[in-house]
Amino acid sequence: MASVLTPFSPPNWCNRLSHIPKYFVRLGNMNTPIHEWRLPNVPSGFKVYIKRDDMTGSTLSGNKVRKLEFLFADAIEKGCKNVITCGSIQSNFARSTAVAAAQLGLKCHLLLRSPEVPYTMESIESKTGKLEYKDCSANVTFEGNVLLDKMSGASMYLIPKTSKYVIDIKPRMEKLADHIKNETGEDSYLVPIGGSNVVGLYGYLTAFQEMISQGLLEDFDDIVFACGSGGTAAGLSIANYLNQSKLRIHAITVSDNKQSFIDHINII
């Protein structure tokens, strides 16, 4: 597995950061182009461009691969055979993680929030008096990302839709990792929602450097993106600050609320 690790050389402007990864794995097709986006009713004097991260690769798709290149390298360097992550039942990040794990020969375990939970960890604990885990694949409708999760060989565990990451999901991931260790002797690598942690944000520090090479600092005034877990916002904002650029960073939240993202980014 070490043969897939590529040494990481950070941009000079982020050399003073801590926790700089040693490696990444090549999962996506970089550099993605920036194209003018001819939207209707754009005010005179303004132009809109789009960073085509839908072109990072048809298997993984989209921007998720940027974080996964660093997260999987960290998992492999630490000798982990399993990767555990979480998300909604149709999570794009969970699907991308499952595909990447299959490509790299790792086992993937997904804790998926669902409105219908035939097996919850609480119910299994209450019935048996001990912690057990059951892959719920047989109780899931295979469509969309769930179908791709299954085709990638991921094990799926349904959890309540209202589960919160810090108080509900993370403890379950840790218990699952302990269970796997006890059953197989293998270590597991835990990936937070959206891959948004100090390792994953390097995907967007390097994305910023990629855009610098495409004229970002000279040709643009604003960067606008969807914010689903905070990692993209953290990476781009830190990169923007370290480059002392004039750019304005706009994160459009697609879940939770503004304060929840601020709190998570401060933890990162």
Side-chain angles (χ1 to χ4, degrees), residues 169-187:
I169 303 176
K170 185 179 179 182
R172 288 173 170 157
M173 293 169 66
E174 292 169 345
K175 288 180 180 179
L176 178 56
D178 291 340
H179 174 74
I180 292 170
K181 181 70 172 181
N182 292 334
E183 291 291 314
T184 68
E186 297 174 348
D187 291 325

Side-chain angles (χ1 to χ4, degrees), residues 106-125:
L106 300 178
K107 301 167 189 173
C108 184
H109 303 265
L110 305 176
L111 275 65
L112 302 176
R113 291 184 290 205
S114 172
E116 297 181 3
V117 187
Y119 298 97
T120 69
M121 294 181 186
E122 294 93 341
S123 66
I124 292 174
E125 286 174 327

Side-chain angles (χ1 to χ4, degrees), residues 106-267:
L106 300 178
K107 301 167 189 173
C108 184
H109 303 265
L110 305 176
L111 275 65
L112 302 176
R113 291 184 290 205
S114 172
E116 297 181 3
V117 187
Y119 298 97
T120 69
M121 294 181 186
E122 294 93 341
S123 66
I124 292 174
E125 286 174 327
S126 64
K127 289 177 183 178
T128 66
K130 64 178 181 178
L131 183 64
E132 295 180 1
Y133 290 88
K134 182 168 183 175
D135 185 345
C136 300
S137 301
N139 302 91
V140 177
T141 300
F142 292 115
E143 59 184 18
N145 283 334
V146 174
L147 175 60
L148 298 177
D149 295 339
K150 185 62 175 177
M151 292 175 66
S152 300
S155 296
M156 290 175 276
Y157 311 85
L158 301 185
I159 58 176
K161 185 178 180 179
T162 56
S163 299
K164 301 297 184 182
Y165 179 71
V166 173
I167 62 175
D168 298 316
I169 303 176
K170 185 179 179 182
R172 288 173 170 157
M173 293 169 66
E174 292 169 345
K175 288 180 180 179
L176 178 56
D178 291 340
H179 174 74
I180 292 170
K181 181 70 172 181
N182 292 334
E183 291 291 314
T184 68
E186 297 174 348
D187 291 325
S188 298
Y189 188 83
L190 275 58
V191 178
I193 291 177
S196 295
N197 61 11
V198 71
V199 177
L201 71 81
Y202 275 87
Y204 271 87
L205 293 176
T206 56
F208 197 93
Q209 179 62 34
E210 182 179 309
M211 291 188 287
I212 288 176
S213 71
Q214 296 172 311
L216 175 70
L217 301 182
E218 298 81 16
D219 301 336
F220 296 93
D221 301 299
D222 299 84
I223 299 178
V224 183
F225 54 92
C227 180
S229 58
T232 301
L236 293 180
S237 298
I238 291 170
N240 194 51
Y241 173 79
L242 292 176
N243 279 277
Q244 298 182 330
S245 89
K246 61 178 176 60
L247 285 162
R248 295 178 292 266
I249 307 296
H250 307 270
I252 309 300
T253 62
V254 299
S255 61
D256 293 327
N257 55 64
K258 174 181 175 180
Q259 191 58 48
S260 68
F261 290 112
I262 292 173
D263 292 343
H264 181 66
I265 290 170
N266 286 336
I267 294 173

